[in-house]
Amino acid sequence: MRGIAFLALAAIFSSGVAMTMKVANAKGFKLGQFLAVNYLVCLLGLLAWGAWQPPDLDSPFVWLLGIFVGFMYVLSLWLFDRAIASAGLALSTTLMRLSAALPTLGSLMLFSEQASKYQIWGLILAFCCLPLASKEPLHFGKAGKAAWKGTIWGLLLFAVYGMTDFMFKVQAELAPLADPNGFMMVIFGSALILTGSQLLKGPPPGRPCLFWGVVLGATNILATYFWIRALAHLPGSVAFPTLGLGVITLTTLASLLVWRERLRLVNYAFLTLAGVAVCLINLS
């Protein structure tokens, strides 16, 4: 029962990350300053959590991997912001969760893991339903330029977020003894270094930007904390698809009810097929 409660909280706070990014996009915050405040809060949260010890200095691979993941974190949220502006919250969040297909595929190809028939069908379905994610019909010419732009942002988000997730698999396989808290310190510290200079450029961030930046950082930390607790109580075959479906459901409802986003019939088909694909990919 505790595992289900932790999983529900992880889904709520993970959805909160996506919704906070939507708020920042709608309010037109300077993205660099907004992300810098977020990563500063994440770093302070880890320090308060007791994660003050970085990885062993004799492990350059862990440091390099953490720095790379920090860069990918920043790039992922930047692409998420672009995707929200072009395709909306529901479709962008679903593409992020559907990107679980990429680390699964990478594990099969690079680490010789065995795939079940469910995972194979899930991978096929994930890639087959991608063309349905466009907010507008795709066609050539000036009229279709906006639709193609939104699709490109969405596909880039799918690729980058999936690659970022796969880096955690790389760390687990090649540096399994690395301290998780120390590894996260390097990740968030690198992300803060990349974005921190934005706080010094131009006018300082206003109170709304600071407030929502703190909200984003807090939801980031809480989503991570409850996700770790959920995985300690539940098998991955239950936790991963449930989290993915929970986040897709909550953000889709928010996009329809709060931001009044309009989806085409094929977009609803995409959301449904993506949810099925997420379930299949995480079944073993």
Side-chain angles (χ1 to χ4, degrees):
M1 195 65 183
R2 293 181 65 189
I4 296 297
F6 289 139
L7 186 56
L9 289 169
I12 291 171
F13 285 111
S14 295
S15 302
V17 172
M19 295 177 196
T20 306
M21 288 295 298
K22 173 66 177 180
V23 171
N25 185 275
K27 290 183 175 293
F29 294 151
K30 288 186 177 180
L31 187 60
Q33 292 184 338
F34 179 66
L35 293 183
V37 174
N38 154 65
Y39 289 124
L40 178 60
V41 172
C42 288
L43 201 60
L44 293 175
L46 281 171
L47 290 172
W49 197 355
W52 57 270
Q53 183 67 41
D56 192 341
L57 292 173
D58 294 331
S59 303
F61 172 75
V62 176
W63 279 90
L64 291 174
L65 187 63
I67 292 170
F68 178 72
V69 174
F71 168 78
M72 296 295 281
Y73 264 32
V74 175
L75 181 59
S76 292
L77 286 183
W78 182 79
L79 288 172
F80 188 45
D81 179 75
R82 296 296 88 210
I84 288 174
S86 299
L89 175 64
L91 297 178
S92 300
T93 304
T94 304
L95 282 166
M96 285 181 69
R97 292 297 162 180
L98 189 61
S99 68
L102 295 182
T104 303
L105 188 62
S107 297
L108 298 175
M109 296 176 62
L110 298 181
F111 297 112
S112 301
E113 292 188 359
Q114 298 297 316
S116 68
K117 61 181 180 180
Y118 300 108
Q119 289 176 314
I120 293 174
W121 280 112
L123 290 170
I124 294 172
L125 183 59
F127 289 101
C128 287
C129 73
L130 286 176
L132 304 178
S134 174
K135 195 173 183 180
E136 301 292 339
L138 294 177
H139 51 80
F140 294 97
K142 291 184 178 179
K145 186 176 180 180
W148 279 105
K149 183 179 179 181
T151 300
I152 290 172
W153 286 126
L155 292 177
L156 285 173
L157 174 65
F158 173 83
V160 170
Y161 196 81
M163 188 185 303
T164 305
D165 268 355
F166 183 58
M167 292 302 103
F168 287 95
K169 173 65 176 177
V170 172
Q171 180 267 317
E173 290 287 342
L174 303 183
L177 300 181
D179 175 49
N181 289 338
F183 187 51
M184 285 194 294
M185 283 283 291
V186 176
I187 292 171
F188 287 123
S190 301
L192 180 59
I193 291 173
L194 287 171
T195 57
S197 62
Q198 297 298 315
L199 294 173
L200 305 177
K201 292 183 178 180
R207 289 184 179 179
C209 182
L210 290 172
F211 173 78
W212 287 107
V214 170
V215 171
L216 180 60
T219 51
N220 255 327
I221 288 294
L222 290 171
T224 302
Y225 172 76
F226 286 118
W227 178 233
I228 292 172
R229 296 297 302 272
L231 286 176
H233 291 82
L234 296 171
S237 59
V238 173
F240 282 101
T242 304
L243 178 69
L245 289 177
V247 173
I248 290 172
T249 301
L250 290 175
T251 53
T252 299
L253 288 174
S255 69
L256 297 176
L257 299 177
V258 179
W259 286 285
R260 306 293 183 182
E261 292 183 358
R262 294 182 179 181
L263 300 177
R264 298 189 298 141
L265 183 60
V266 294
N267 296 150
Y268 286 107
F270 168 71
L271 292 171
T272 303
L273 293 174
V276 174
V278 169
C279 285
L280 291 174
I281 287 168
N282 288 286
L283 289 177
S284 59

